[in-house]
C-alpha cells in the first residue's frame, strides 16, 4: 500500500495553544516542574463548576434524558437563551438559535455555512486560533485585520476597511477578546456595524467571556446595536460558568428575516446532519442563565486580583510591556527581544518551566513580538512564574 497522505487542506491547520503542550511534555519528562500559564481552563486551577449545575445535569441523566435531543437543542434551553438575549443583552430580530458542542462547533458551522471556496472572513489579529484553523478546512483564504495595542487592543477600523475585497463575506469580533483581554467600546462596535452594513458583511460575534468583565462595566453585545445587519452571536457554558469540558455552546442568529433565511437553512442542514449536542448537559443552560449559580462574585474577585498582579508584575520587567486586561482571563504582553517570540517561549519553558504561548500563534502586527498569559492560577503561582520570567529576562535580554 502507498503512503497514506492527508488531504492538503490539513497542511495549514495549527493550534498554538495545544501545539506548545507537546514541547512542555518533553520538558516535563526531564523532571522540571511546569508552571502552566497557557490554557484557559478554569477547572485546572482553583475554580470549580457550580455544584447546582452538576446536580441538575445528574438529575437529567437519572431521568434518562440520555438519547438524542432535537438537533437545535431542547426547548427550555433554547427559550432561556432567547430570553436572556432579548432582556439582558438587548438583541433584536432574533431569527434562529441552536445549541452546539461548545461554541467552537457553532463557529465552525456558521463559517462553513457562509463561505465558498476562495471567499474570506475578516479575522482579528491577534485572535483566537480556532478561526484561522477553520479557514483551510473550508478552503477559504486568510484575511486578517489588526487590533491597536496603543488603543487598548480595540479593532483598527481603518485596517478593517482596507482589507475588505469582493470575496469578503463576514467579519469576526471577539469581545471580550482572547488573547488580549480587551473589552470593546460601544463606539468602536458601532463603527464595525456601519462597516458591515456598508459592505454587506455578516458579523460573527464571539462573546464567550461576556460575563467576565473585570472593570465593573457591562459588556455590550454588538447584535444589540443593529437589527439591520446579520449578526451571529456565540456563547456557552465553558468560561463564565466554569464548565469547558461539558462542551455546551450556542449560536444566536439575528437580523432581517428575509435576507438571512437561506443562510439559516444552510446552517440548519449541518445542524441536523450532526444529530445533536450533548443532551443531558443542555439541562444546565436554563438554570445557569436564570441565575441559579452563586459563583460569579468570587470568580470575578479572583480574576480582578490576578489581572492586576499580572499587569503590575509584567510592566515592571525589563523589555516587557502589558496593556491591562479589562475582561476574560488573558493578557498579551509585548516583548522587546532579538529572537522570535516562539523561540523565546520555548527557551523560557526549557529554562524555567513557565509555560506561555507565543504571540505569533495568535497573530500580531508585523514587527512586534508578544506572548499570551492565562492568569487563572493562584496569586502565589502567578508571582512565582513572574519571578522566573523576570530572572530570565535579566539574564538574557
Amino acid at each position: 500500500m502507498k503512503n497514506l497522505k492527508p488531504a492538503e487542506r490539513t497542511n495549514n491547520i495549527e493550534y498554538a495553544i495545544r501545539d506548545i503542550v507537546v514541547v512542555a511534555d518533553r520538558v516535563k519528562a526531564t523532571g522540571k516542574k511546569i508552571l502552566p500559564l497557557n490554557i484557559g481552563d478554569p477547572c485546572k486551577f482553583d475554580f470549580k463548576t457550580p455544584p447546582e449545575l452538576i446536580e441538575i445535569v445528574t438529575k437529567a441523566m437519572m431521568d434518562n434524558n440520555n438519547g438524542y435531543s432535537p438537533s437545535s437543542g431542547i426547548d427550555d434551553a433554547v427559550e432561556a437563551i432567547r430570553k436572556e438575549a432579548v432582556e439582558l443583552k438587548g438583541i433584536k430580530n432574533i431569527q434562529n438559535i441552536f445549541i452546539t458542542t461548545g461554541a467552537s462547533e457553532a463557529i465552525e458551522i456558521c463559517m462553513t455555512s457562509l463561505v465558498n471556496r476562495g471567499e474570506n472572513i475578516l479575522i482579528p489579529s491577534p485572535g483566537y486560533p480556532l478561526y484561522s484553523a477553520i479557514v483551510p478546512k473550508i478552503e477559504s483564504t486568510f484575511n486578517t485585520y489588526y487590533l491597536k495595542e496603543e488603543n487598548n487592543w480595540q479593532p483598527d477600523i481603518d485596517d478593517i476597511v482596507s482589507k475588505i475585497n469582493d470575496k469578503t463575506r463576514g467579519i469576526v469580533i471577539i469581545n471580550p477578546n482572547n488573547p488580549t483581554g480587551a473589552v470593546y467600546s460601544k463606539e468602536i462596535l458601532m463603527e464595525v456595524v456601519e462597516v458591515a452594513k456598508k459592505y454587506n458583511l455578516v458579523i460573527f460575534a464571539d462573546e464567550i467571556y461576556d460575563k467576565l468583565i473585570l472593570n465593573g462595566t457591562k459588556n455590550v453585545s454588538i447584535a444589540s446595536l443593529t437589527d439591520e445587519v446579520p449578526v451571529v452571536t456565540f456563547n456557552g457554558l465553558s468560561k463564565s460558568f466554569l464548565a469547558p469540558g461539558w462542551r455546551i455552546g450556542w449560536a444566536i442568529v439575528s437580523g432581517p428575516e428575509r435576507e438571512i433565511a437561506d443562510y439559516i437553512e444552510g446552517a440548519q442542514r449541518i445542524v441536523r446532519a450532526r444529530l445533536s449536542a450533548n443532551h443531558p448537559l443542555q439541562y444546565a443552560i436554563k438554570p445557569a442563565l436564570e441565575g441559579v449559580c452563586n459563583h460569579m462574585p468570587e470568580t470575578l474577585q479572583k480574576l480582578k486580583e490576578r489581572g492586576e498582579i499580572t499587569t503590575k508584575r509584567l510592566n515592571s520587567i525589563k523589555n516587557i510591556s502589558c496593556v491591562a486586561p479589562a475582561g476574560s482571563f488573558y493578557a498579551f504582553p509585548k516583548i522587546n527581544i532579538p529572537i522570535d517570540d516562539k523561540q523565546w517561549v520555548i527557551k523560557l519553558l526549557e529554562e524555567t518551566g513557565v509555560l506561555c504561548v507565543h504571540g505569533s500563534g495568535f497573530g500580531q502586527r508585523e514587527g512586534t513580538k508578544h506572548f499570551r498569559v492565562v492568569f487563572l492560577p493562584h496569586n502565589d503561582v502567578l508571582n512565582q512564574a513572574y519571578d522566573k520570567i523576570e530572572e530570565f529576562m535579566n539574564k538574557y535580554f
Side-chain angles (χ1 to χ4, degrees):
M1 183 178 179
K2 289 182 179 178
N3 253 4
L4 193 60
K5 297 192 183 219
E8 290 180 5
R9 71 175 65 89
T10 66
N11 291 341
N12 294 318
I13 296 174
E14 296 181 1
Y15 192 81
I17 299 166
R18 293 279 181 170
D19 293 346
I20 197 68
V21 174
V22 177
V23 183
D25 288 342
R26 174 172 55 78
V27 173
K28 186 177 180 181
T30 68
K32 187 175 286 293
K33 180 183 177 183
I34 303 297
L35 293 175
L37 308 180
N38 65 309
I39 192 163
D41 184 347
C43 298
K44 292 192 179 299
F45 304 97
D46 59 337
F47 299 86
K48 293 187 176 180
T49 307
E52 303 91 340
L53 299 186
I54 294 172
E55 290 174 14
I56 288 163
V57 168
T58 301
K59 183 178 184 302
M61 291 178 176
M62 296 304 294
D63 290 344
N64 201 32
N65 292 302
N66 299 312
Y68 297 123
S69 80
S71 292
S72 288
I74 61 174
D75 290 344
D76 282 356
V78 170
E79 287 311 306
I81 293 166
R82 185 185 304 276
K83 182 178 180 183
E84 190 210 32
V86 172
E87 296 180 4
L88 294 184
K89 298 178 181 295
I91 298 177
K92 306 172 283 290
N93 234 4
I94 294 175
Q95 304 298 339
N96 195 247
I97 294 169
F98 54 89
I99 297 169
T100 53
T101 303
S104 298
E105 187 190 39
I107 291 163
E108 184 154 356
I109 287 171
C110 292
M111 288 178 67
T112 302
S113 305
L114 181 68
V115 177
N116 293 304
R117 179 186 299 169
E119 295 178 338
N120 67 82
I121 294 172
L122 280 158
I123 297 171
S125 179
Y128 182 44
L130 170 72
Y131 292 94
S132 54
I134 292 172
V135 167
K137 287 200 281 185
I138 61 176
E139 298 181 293
S140 177
T141 57
F142 287 95
N143 192 1
T144 58
Y145 69 89
Y146 290 124
L147 308 181
K148 297 177 77 171
E149 188 169 13
E150 67 275 18
N151 188 28
N152 297 315
W153 291 115
Q154 301 287 304
D156 185 334
I157 301 299
D158 291 338
D159 192 55
I160 289 171
V161 172
S162 75
K163 300 292 178 58
I164 295 171
N165 57 52
D166 60 0
K167 298 289 187 180
T168 305
R169 303 293 308 282
I171 179 170
V172 172
I173 297 292
I174 306 173
N175 178 41
N177 184 264
N178 175 9
T180 67
V183 175
Y184 298 162
S185 69
K186 182 178 179 180
E187 292 73 22
I188 285 287
L189 294 174
M190 283 297 304
E191 289 189 61
V192 172
V193 167
E194 289 305 311
V195 170
K197 184 177 177 181
K198 180 177 179 179
Y199 293 96
N200 197 32
L201 306 180
V202 176
I203 297 173
F204 291 119
D206 186 338
E207 299 179 1
I208 194 75
Y209 300 96
D210 66 335
K211 294 176 175 58
L212 302 180
I213 307 299
L214 309 182
N215 59 6
T217 62
K218 182 182 177 184
N219 192 58
V220 177
S221 179
I222 193 169
S224 70
L225 304 177
T226 179
D227 54 8
E228 300 176 80
V229 175
V231 182
V232 187
T233 304
F234 305 111
N235 216 313
L237 299 182
S238 293
K239 309 300 183 178
S240 297
F241 295 98
L242 311 178
W246 285 11
R247 310 310 302 132
I248 290 294
W250 54 83
I252 304 167
V253 188
S254 58
E257 180 179 9
R258 187 171 62 181
E259 285 84 346
I260 62 176
D262 289 344
Y263 170 63
I264 289 172
E265 176 54 27
Q268 281 294 330
R269 290 191 190 104
I270 300 176
V271 169
R272 293 191 294 267
R274 78 2 164 188
L275 298 182
S276 72
N278 189 306
H279 186 183
L281 290 170
Q282 294 180 48
Y283 285 85
I285 295 174
K286 184 174 188 286
L289 296 183
E290 290 182 349
V292 73
C293 311
N294 58 14
H295 69 292
M296 195 58 73
E298 180 184 5
T299 298
L300 288 175
Q301 183 57 36
K302 285 181 182 178
L303 294 179
K304 186 172 184 295
E305 288 178 4
R306 294 171 194 188
E308 289 171 353
I309 289 170
T310 296
T311 305
K312 181 179 178 181
R313 288 298 312 274
L314 291 174
N315 277 322
S316 71
I317 298 174
K318 180 180 66 173
N319 289 323
I320 295 180
S321 62
C322 182
V323 176
S328 75
F329 33 69
Y330 306 107
F332 202 63
K334 181 191 284 186
I335 41 178
N336 181 17
I337 52 174
I339 59 176
D340 73 44
D341 49 35
K342 186 172 183 179
Q343 287 176 306
W344 183 88
V345 161
I346 292 173
K347 187 175 177 65
L348 175 72
L349 173 61
E350 291 174 338
E351 292 227 3
T352 71
V354 176
L355 175 57
C356 304
V357 186
H358 45 289
S360 50
F362 301 90
Q364 55 196 348
R365 198 177 287 272
E366 189 175 349
T368 65
K369 300 166 187 177
H370 298 82
F371 63 104
R372 190 188 75 166
V373 165
V374 175
F375 52 84
L376 286 168
H378 189 275
N379 301 13
D380 294 341
V381 176
L382 288 175
N383 277 312
Q384 184 183 353
Y386 300 146
D387 285 344
K388 288 180 177 294
I389 293 174
E390 185 168 18
E391 292 168 8
F392 179 76
M393 290 297 287
N394 287 337
K395 182 177 179 181
Y396 292 108
F397 305 102

